[in-house]
Amino acid sequence: MDDITLRAVDGVHVTTLIDNSSDVLLPDEGLVRRWGLSGSAGPLPIVPSGMAEGGRTIDFLRAEHGFSALVEVQDGGGVRRVLFDAGVSPDGLITNLDRLALPPDIIETIVFSHGHFDHVMGLEGLARRLGPRNLPILIHPDFWTRRRLVLPGGALELPTPSRAAIEGAGFAVVAERRPSFLLDGMLLVTGEVERTTAFETGMPPAHQAFKDGVWQPDPLVHDDQAILLHVRGKGLVVLTGCGHAGIVNIIRHAKRLTGIDRLHAVMGGFHLRSGPIIEHTVAALTEESPSVVVPAHCTSWLAQHALAAALPGGFRPNAVGSRFEL
């Protein structure tokens, strides 16, 4: 895509629908509104209980090993909404939407960061609730790739998204390898991310893909993509699902695509576990000086701690129900 101009918007709200942690005691913090006992993002739902006096108890959001976020783009008094990823369990996403009092029919487009099942399978519950309605789903062409992990106890084949099932449920699949605009040019999907750093080498050899009739190493997860927004007067917002392409690669790719050098916020899965990559990534992110840093999902405690120490002014912990008002 040539001559990319990403339209600036008045604001972006990102609400975490699925993540690895749920913390009802986190308080509001500046631009972050929390859902829970200490936050103001929304009331706690009351549900029936046979074990409580009066027959009622308080319900809480569910955390699971996966990621999903609702992106609300505000411009000119209007609001446009995109769902980014769907989490791992069939009912986790839809039940958390219910707990947050967010009706699923407000979603106008779905973007998947990649085809790993912990970002996709919550689509099932959403499909049951919505019914067939030709809702667009934007993916990379390699989204359907069969993958497995070769572990000491044997190979574990990962659940693979079914194109027949997804289209049969009434979704309109759009596969694109290159960058794609959504919402009349206000949101940009990166497409395949160029790998340029020496330290972001991808998945270990245990991660394999079935290609050309054989299982072979799949370190790069080529279908990994992010979404980009430009908040007027503040800079780029980068939202990732897992960040398999490398969070630094993604940020640099985003800046090359858009020509916007100022990074306002970087959020989502950074896929940082352990080893020297943490030090290199933290150093590179510190040079970018983002105002907001929200590592989620597949970012280890070690990496979270290092990011919090290096970027104390921008670091914000994530939890299900957190709403970041950028």
Side-chain angles (χ1 to χ4, degrees):
M1 182 181 291
D2 299 321
D3 301 322
I4 287 179
T5 301
L6 180 59
R7 279 180 54 191
V9 300
D10 295 332
V12 177
H13 290 182
V14 179
T15 301
T16 304
L17 303 176
I18 295 291
D19 194 15
N20 295 39
S21 64
S22 179
D23 189 341
V24 299
L25 299 179
L26 278 176
D28 292 351
E29 186 181 4
L31 55 80
V32 191
R33 296 184 65 191
R34 307 288 188 181
W35 186 93
L37 295 171
S38 303
S40 64
L44 299 176
I46 305 299
V47 295
S49 172
M51 295 294 171
E53 292 287 346
R56 300 188 307 162
T57 188
I58 297 173
D59 195 15
F60 291 118
L61 291 167
R62 303 299 192 267
E64 59 185 43
H65 183 86
F67 190 72
S68 178
L70 179 68
V71 180
E72 299 178 283
V73 181
Q74 302 178 331
D75 193 60
V79 180
R80 309 284 296 276
R81 297 177 177 90
V82 170
L83 179 69
F84 184 61
D85 286 351
V88 65
S89 70
D91 295 311
L93 171 61
I94 192 63
T95 55
N96 276 352
L97 283 169
D98 289 344
R99 293 179 180 98
L100 292 166
L102 292 170
D105 57 6
I106 63 175
I107 298 165
E108 60 181 274
T109 305
I110 299 172
V111 177
F112 280 119
S113 62
H114 63 302
H116 277 160
F117 71 104
D118 51 335
H119 296 256
V120 176
M121 296 305 167
L123 189 63
E124 182 176 340
L126 187 67
R128 285 199 305 265
R129 179 70 62 81
L130 288 175
R133 58 177 62 201
N134 210 38
L135 189 68
I137 291 180
L138 186 63
I139 63 167
H140 183 283
D142 291 348
F143 177 83
W144 314 107
T145 302
R146 286 177 61 193
R147 292 184 165 113
R148 72 177 185 179
L149 294 174
V150 180
L151 306 171
L156 171 66
E157 185 162 351
L158 305 179
T160 304
S162 167
R163 180 163 193 156
I166 291 173
E167 292 183 334
F171 295 104
V173 174
V174 180
E176 181 57 67
R177 194 176 302 272
R178 291 170 57 80
S180 301
F181 276 120
L182 296 175
L183 309 184
D184 301 318
M186 294 187 291
L187 184 150
L188 181 64
V189 182
T190 62
E192 195 166 309
V193 175
E194 184 181 1
R195 272 67 164 178
T196 57
T197 65
F199 55 88
E200 292 172 315
T201 56
M203 295 282 283
H207 184 262
Q208 299 181 349
F210 193 73
K211 296 181 179 180
D212 301 321
V214 296
W215 289 102
Q216 50 189 286
D218 181 32
L220 298 184
V221 192
H222 283 295
D223 49 319
D224 184 78
Q225 53 187 1
I227 61 177
L228 313 176
L229 300 112
H230 179 200
V231 179
R232 188 174 289 108
K234 294 184 177 180
L236 276 176
V237 174
V238 178
L239 179 62
T240 68
C242 253
H244 287 294
I247 192 62
V248 179
N249 278 333
I250 293 168
I251 291 168
R252 292 176 180 176
H253 183 77
K255 292 168 71 172
R256 283 194 299 271
L257 278 179
T258 63
I260 300 167
D261 191 58
R262 186 178 176 186
L263 178 65
H264 178 51
V266 56
M267 314 171 66
F270 293 0
H271 215 273
L272 290 174
R273 307 307 304 163
S274 61
I277 188 174
I278 293 179
E279 180 182 351
H280 293 308
T281 300
V282 170
L285 277 178
T286 301
E287 289 182 5
E288 296 287 351
S289 300
S291 301
V292 182
V293 180
V294 187
H297 179 44
C298 49
T299 312
S300 70
W301 181 88
L302 287 172
Q304 298 246 5
H305 179 78
L307 287 163
L311 296 159
F315 178 86
R316 297 291 184 275
N318 197 31
V320 183
S322 297
R323 187 168 78 214
F324 298 88
E325 300 179 348
L326 306 172

